[in-house]
Amino acid sequence: MTLFRSRLSAEELAAAAHAEDERRRLQAQFDRDQAAADREERRRLDRERARADRKRRKARAKARARFWHRIGAAARGVRTVAPLLLVNAAAVGGQTGYAFTRTPESWPAAARAAVALVYAATVESIALYVSWHAHDALMHRATGTAAEMRRRAYLIAAVVAAMNYSHFDGPNWTPTPFAVGSGMASLLSPWLWGLHTRRAQQLQLLRADLVDETGAVFDRKRRRAFPIRTWRAERWSIEHHVRDPRVAWDGYHAQRAARRATVRPGRWRAAWAVLRGRAAVVPPAPAERAPVLDETDPDVQECRKLTRSMQSARLTLSSGLARIGLADRTLGLWPTDGRPASAVASPAAAVASQPASPVATEPDPAPDAPQPPTTDTAARIAAAYDDLMRDSGRPPSGRQVAKRAGVSKTTANEWINQHRRKK
């Protein structure tokens, strides 16, 4: 066939060679692109496998962490609950042993043990059930209900403890080790479960930021050296919500120094000084706190008059008591003529033994005794009394009359008393 084909020209040969080169170039480019795509696919698959491996490893790590967390939580729970369960088991065992001896011997041993176990669990679970209600009430902040339930649980536990003790005691309730142990197990069961309740409540209050701060805590050396001052500094820190011991110590001593700088007499000392007629020694108060008395105030004037009356009465009584005390004593001022001192009359007794003269002498009025009002004063008081009587329609008080007439309350009351006696 090639014998009859025409020979290709140089241009055709060049075009064919160019087409072949272009095909080879495109094929090489395709192979390179295909290889790059394969590499990219392999890298993508490798990344996906690595990501899947990481996810699997992370999931396995999380699973192991959860497993060990559950193991730790279970261990903590066992550590917390195991002693309580042992105490309950001891109490239930004591009740079970007693109940097993009281079941009919004709029953099978398994039936006797089952009945004894049910009886023991029932008796021991009553106090625990009431204690659980106390726990639930306290977690819901019903403190009153919780306290009531807790008291009932303790009472029930005491009854059950007495029963458990009576199963294994000696004659006439003689204590035995097994009886004491069984009774204590029944008695302490609600109280031990209540420890968990109080801890849970404390954590609840901590999360709600409702725990009361107890103040500063001082070292034992400071307590031994200054027991009273340390106790007072603790009270000061509790009152002022201070937790730092140094701040509490300095604050209390500053307050103590300020109090000592302004010492004032106590109530009993001041009252005794007033009863004796002596003014209590009170240091002057600061200028900004010094009370300013209005001397024109009728109440202040009345207090001044009462003070002077008390002083006058004290002086009068003291002199009279002195005369009475010296009435039977000679004091060596006159001869006794050989008679005993008790038989010699004192001048005061001699004067008292003399017959009274027909002329009666009026005693001297006390310096601050109320004097009868003068004519002008009585007129002003009468006018004020009539005006107030007409305005109010009822007898006025001494204070009102004194204020209207411009006199003291004592004078007004004296005039009112005389006015009423005349009526």
Side-chain angles (χ1 to χ4, degrees):
M1 295 297 295
T2 59
L3 297 176
F4 299 100
R5 290 179 59 185
S6 60
R7 298 187 60 177
L8 298 176
S9 61
E11 291 81 2
E12 291 177 348
L13 291 174
H18 181 71
E20 182 65 20
D21 293 339
E22 185 66 21
R23 185 188 66 78
R24 290 177 180 175
R25 186 184 65 79
L26 292 175
Q27 183 64 34
Q29 183 66 32
F30 175 77
D31 293 339
R32 288 193 298 271
D33 293 343
Q34 187 65 33
D38 293 341
R39 289 193 299 272
E40 184 64 27
E41 182 66 18
R42 285 194 297 273
R43 284 195 293 270
R44 186 183 64 81
L45 293 176
D46 293 340
R47 288 194 297 269
E48 289 181 356
R49 282 195 294 270
R51 189 180 301 112
D53 292 340
R54 287 196 298 272
K55 287 184 179 179
R56 283 194 296 273
R57 288 195 296 270
K58 188 179 293 185
R60 286 195 295 269
K62 289 182 178 179
R64 287 195 298 270
R66 286 193 297 269
F67 172 76
W68 288 112
H69 178 73
R70 287 194 296 269
I71 293 296
R76 289 189 295 271
V78 169
R79 181 183 61 188
T80 304
V81 179
L84 304 179
L85 295 180
L86 289 176
V87 171
N88 295 138
V92 172
Q95 299 283 6
T96 303
Y98 168 77
F100 187 83
T101 60
R102 292 299 185 271
T103 53
E105 296 183 357
S106 59
W107 290 7
R112 295 176 63 187
V115 170
L117 184 61
V118 170
Y119 163 78
T122 302
V123 172
E124 292 293 337
S125 64
I126 298 174
L128 296 180
Y129 181 72
V130 178
S131 181
W132 178 84
H133 276 286
H135 167 82
D136 185 69
L138 191 60
M139 289 297 99
H140 288 84
R141 299 183 181 179
T143 56
T145 304
E148 182 180 0
M149 291 294 177
R150 194 180 302 113
R151 288 192 294 268
R152 293 179 180 179
Y154 291 161
L155 179 61
I156 296 173
V159 174
V160 175
M163 293 171 53
N164 211 353
Y165 176 87
S166 65
H167 300 336
F168 308 101
D169 62 337
N172 299 324
W173 284 67
T174 303
T176 61
F178 201 82
V180 173
S182 301
M184 291 295 293
S186 298
L187 181 63
L188 295 179
S189 180
W191 180 78
L192 292 175
W193 283 103
L195 294 178
H196 172 73
T197 299
R198 286 185 284 275
R199 177 177 176 274
Q201 185 202 21
Q202 183 71 11
L203 295 177
Q204 185 183 54
L205 295 177
L206 283 173
R207 286 191 295 267
D209 196 15
L210 296 176
V211 177
D212 187 19
E213 297 181 354
T214 56
V217 179
F218 294 96
D219 188 68
R220 288 177 295 177
K221 293 183 179 180
R222 193 187 298 272
R223 292 179 182 275
R224 287 194 296 266
F226 310 100
I228 298 177
R229 276 194 278 174
T230 304
W231 175 70
R232 291 179 178 177
E234 284 184 352
R235 293 182 70 247
W236 186 92
S237 66
I238 293 172
E239 181 181 1
H240 295 84
H241 303 283
V242 175
R243 300 294 302 274
D244 191 347
R246 295 184 180 180
V247 176
W249 188 260
D250 295 340
Y252 161 71
H253 280 81
Q255 182 181 9
R256 180 168 174 259
R259 189 186 301 116
R260 287 193 172 187
T262 57
V263 174
R264 295 179 178 273
R267 295 181 179 178
W268 294 104
R269 186 178 299 178
W272 179 248
V274 172
L275 290 175
R276 295 178 62 187
R278 299 179 180 178
V281 179
V282 180
E288 62 275 13
R289 296 185 179 179
V292 179
L293 298 178
D294 186 7
E295 297 295 338
T296 61
D297 188 358
D299 294 336
V300 175
Q301 296 177 358
E302 188 67 23
C303 291
R304 300 298 189 200
K305 292 180 179 179
L306 289 175
T307 303
R308 290 193 296 270
S309 300
M310 291 176 62
Q311 294 177 353
S312 175
R314 182 178 64 83
L315 293 175
T316 303
L317 290 175
S318 61
S319 60
L321 291 174
R323 288 195 297 270
I324 293 173
L326 297 175
D328 295 333
R329 290 176 174 81
T330 61
L331 298 179
L333 300 179
W334 51 84
T336 59
D337 297 334
R339 292 176 293 170
S342 59
V344 179
S346 63
V351 173
S353 62
Q354 294 178 0
S357 60
V359 179
T361 59
E362 295 182 359
D364 295 335
D368 291 335
Q371 302 294 335
T374 61
T375 306
D376 295 339
T377 304
R380 285 191 288 113
I381 294 175
Y385 185 88
D386 294 338
D387 294 341
L388 291 171
M389 186 71 179
R390 184 170 53 254
D391 295 340
S392 60
R394 56 186 179 84
S397 63
R399 184 187 298 273
Q400 295 174 346
V401 174
K403 186 175 181 181
R404 177 67 67 90
V407 297
S408 65
K409 181 181 175 183
T410 305
T411 305
N413 286 330
E414 184 67 23
W415 184 90
I416 292 173
N417 292 333
Q418 292 178 0
H419 182 67
R420 290 175 180 172
R421 285 196 295 268
K422 290 178 181 178
K423 288 184 177 182

